[in-house]
């Protein structure tokens, strides 16, 4: 198994993650919905666009910093929210958020995180966003918002692309559902990874930390929590709910999961700070546009009126450059840092960030750009 210092790219981290994690967990990260056409499709979409460099430009000093959701970040890439990160390494969200802070970029904690809002705030000195799913119990959403204010989070993101659960067959094959009912294949997947099992048994159990207080003491906590949260997803959420959330919060706000220019226009009308163009990493509507494919029409509709984040399929620095050239403010990623987390905890996440930072910098030099605002439509076809 290659060591972290021998890792050359995100795919190397993925290979280590595959070897280290029990199969149900690796497949939970790696998989998508239905035929999973969007998982690789999100990456491949970048291949259809080509960069156009300009030469004989002084690129001795390159500044990759930019501004997102009210904070300056050191590069145009940050960490999207992912649920239950502590399943992949016992240091979980704490490790991820610390690596993000060290890299001077944003970390988004998921509603389904296995670490509390307060613990992430204590661990992470960098920019922090809390990602919300609006729950049937609006009191819980109100409570999340208040806790984020008290813990000095910088922004909120509302994920809108899960109106109903999607069909994820890799999860079903192992019985890795909500709540988990592992079948033989699932149990066997854990049995052959004793190192992971040892770490899991010698650390506190991963659970949905931000809703743990909603389950009565003494009940089988992890199962009841999963059941609770699965029942809390609200298929009747509308734009009015988002506007209510924005008025309760009153700070930088992102809507995550937009693919249509018409929705982008509504989001701008509601006053969002940022639109995260995303198909949820290919985990929701299979066959939907990829973020990169949707980007151009959304930039045409609302470019300059709010920040536009390209989320999904980023595996190389040049993918970030292509998104910026198409008009994105910045990009976000999920799996690349989760593979890093599984491969080596905080150091693995730092490695993912370091690799992509170096690739973005090299790409900017090769493109002939020394700052993010110099990257524009003339650099892409
Ligand atoms: C294992 C996993 C869990 C995720 N959990 C959440 C979540 O809780 N909330 C959310 O808004 N998005 C979630 N996402 C989607 C990510 O925020 C992001 O949109 C996606 O990973 C981007 O695609 P990429 O993995 O190709 O970078 C999850 C993604 C993965 C891979």
């Amino acid at each position: 198994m290659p060591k972290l210092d021998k890792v050359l790219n995100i795919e190397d981290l993925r290979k280590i993650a595959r070897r280290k994690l029990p199969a149900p967990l690796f497949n939970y990260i790696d998989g998508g919905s239905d035929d999973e056409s969007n998982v690789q499709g999100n990456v491949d979409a970048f291949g259809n666009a080509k960069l156009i460099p300009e030469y004989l430009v002084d690129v001795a000093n390159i500044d990759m910093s930019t501004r997102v959701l009210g904070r300056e970040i050191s590069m145009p890439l940050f960490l999207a929210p992912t649920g239950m990160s502590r399943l992949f390494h016992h240091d979980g969200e704490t490790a991820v958020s610390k690596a993000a802070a060290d890299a001077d970029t944003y970390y988004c904690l998921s509603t389904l995180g296995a670490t509390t809002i307060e613990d992430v705030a204590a661990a992470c000195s960098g920019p922090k966003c809390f990602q919300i799913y609006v729950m049937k119990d609006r009191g819980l959403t109100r409570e999340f918002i208040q806790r984020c204010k008290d813990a000095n989070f910088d922004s909120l993101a509302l994920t809108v692309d899960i109106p109903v659960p999607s069909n994820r067959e890799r999860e079903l094959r192992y019985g890795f559902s909500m709540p988990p009912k592992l079948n033989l294949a699932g149990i066997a997947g854990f049995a052959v990874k004793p190192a992971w099992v040892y770490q899991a048994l010698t650390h506190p159990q991963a659970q949905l930390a931000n809703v743990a207080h909603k389950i009565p003491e003494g009940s089988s906590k992890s199962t009841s929590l999963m059941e609770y949260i699965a029942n809390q997803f609200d298929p009747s959420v509308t734009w009015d709910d988002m506007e209510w959330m924005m008025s309760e919060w009153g700070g930088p706000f992102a809507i995550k999961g937009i693919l249509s220019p018409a929705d982008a226009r509504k989001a701008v009308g509601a006053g969002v700070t940022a639109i995260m163009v995303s198909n949820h990493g290919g985990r929701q509507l299979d066959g939907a546009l990829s973020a990169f494919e949707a980007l151009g029409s959304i930039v045409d509709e609302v470019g300059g009126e709010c920040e536009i984040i390209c989320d999904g399929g980023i595996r190389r620095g040049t993918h970030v450059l292509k998104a910026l050239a198409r008009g994105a403010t910045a990009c976000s990623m999920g799996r690349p840092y989760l593979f890093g987390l599984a491969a080596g905890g905080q150091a693995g996440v730092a490695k993912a960030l370091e690799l992509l930072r170096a690739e973005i910098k090299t790409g900017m030099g090769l493109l002939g750009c020394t700052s993010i605002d110099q990257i524009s439509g003339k650099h892409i076809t």
Side-chain angles (χ1 to χ4, degrees), residues 101-112:
D102 288 349
D104 208 359
T105 195
Y106 241 110
Y107 171 63
C108 298
L109 173 67
S110 163
T111 294
L112 305 183

Side-chain angles (χ1 to χ4, degrees), residues 87-309:
L87 286 174
F88 316 126
H89 187 279
H90 50 269
D91 290 337
E93 289 83 0
T94 310
V96 179
S97 65
K98 280 184 179 170
D102 288 349
D104 208 359
T105 195
Y106 241 110
Y107 171 63
C108 298
L109 173 67
S110 163
T111 294
L112 305 183
T115 306
T116 63
I117 292 169
E118 294 74 18
D119 286 348
V120 165
C124 172
S125 55
K128 291 171 282 296
C129 174
F130 184 67
Q131 174 265 321
I132 292 198
Y133 292 116
V134 177
M135 302 292 173
K136 284 183 187 150
D137 175 358
R138 296 293 195 272
L140 184 57
T141 307
R142 192 179 278 116
E143 178 198 306
F144 285 150
I145 294 173
Q146 190 55 49
R147 285 169 65 187
C148 287
K149 284 184 186 172
D150 295 343
N152 289 323
F153 268 58
D154 299 281
S155 55
L156 289 187
L158 172 67
T159 297
V160 296
D161 53 12
I162 309 203
V164 293
S166 61
N167 170 44
R168 300 190 190 164
E169 292 170 10
R170 282 206 227 186
E171 292 170 27
L172 296 175
R173 282 188 212 290
Y174 293 104
F176 196 69
S177 50
M178 273 265 262
K181 293 189 184 86
L182 284 188
N183 56 24
L184 260 184
I187 294 164
F190 282 89
V192 296
K193 301 289 173 182
W196 183 93
V197 172
Y198 174 77
Q199 291 298 337
L201 292 177
T202 52
H203 289 86
Q205 198 186 352
Q207 61 176 2
L208 295 166
N210 286 299
V211 291
H213 59 291
K214 288 281 171 183
I215 302 301
E217 280 302 320
S219 47
S220 156
K221 237 185 172 159
S222 51
T223 309
S224 318
L225 268 174
M226 294 282 190
E227 265 163 16
Y228 169 79
I229 207 85
N231 289 330
Q232 276 295 326
F233 275 85
D234 186 350
S236 70
V237 172
T238 66
W239 291 96
D240 290 344
D241 296 289
M242 186 182 89
E243 289 183 29
W244 166 76
M245 269 183 66
M246 289 177 66
S247 68
E248 290 275 316
W249 170 244
F253 190 95
I255 182 168
K256 176 172 183 283
I258 294 296
L259 293 171
S260 115
D263 277 354
R265 174 52 57 204
K266 283 185 198 154
V268 166
V272 300
T273 318
I275 291 174
M276 294 179 74
V277 183
S278 175
N279 64 20
H280 211 106
R283 300 164 79 81
Q284 286 304 112
L285 180 65
D286 195 34
L289 283 176
S290 75
F292 185 65
E293 286 164 338
L295 192 58
S297 60
I298 291 181
V299 169
D300 288 346
E301 180 68 33
V302 297
E305 296 181 61
C306 70
E307 293 161 10
I308 300 176
I309 311 301

Side-chain angles (χ1 to χ4, degrees), residues 48-128:
N48 298 328
K50 304 292 173 199
L51 289 165
I52 308 171
E54 292 184 346
Y55 295 119
L56 293 179
V57 177
D58 176 357
V59 291
N61 293 304
I62 292 177
D63 176 7
M64 293 188 281
S65 64
T66 191
R67 210 175 159 74
V68 168
L69 288 165
R71 292 291 300 263
E72 178 102 355
I73 52 177
S74 68
M75 62 173 160
L77 178 65
F78 64 90
L79 307 187
T82 56
M84 295 293 278
S85 303
R86 210 144 67 73
L87 286 174
F88 316 126
H89 187 279
H90 50 269
D91 290 337
E93 289 83 0
T94 310
V96 179
S97 65
K98 280 184 179 170
D102 288 349
D104 208 359
T105 195
Y106 241 110
Y107 171 63
C108 298
L109 173 67
S110 163
T111 294
L112 305 183
T115 306
T116 63
I117 292 169
E118 294 74 18
D119 286 348
V120 165
C124 172
S125 55
K128 291 171 282 296

Side-chain angles (χ1 to χ4, degrees), residues 8 62 64 75 317-318 351-365:
L8 294 179
I62 292 177
M64 293 188 281
M75 62 173 160
T318 50
K351 188 74 190 180
L353 285 162
E354 181 192 312
L355 287 168
L356 288 165
R357 179 195 297 284
E359 290 182 15
I360 296 168
K361 189 171 182 194
T362 303
M364 284 177 70

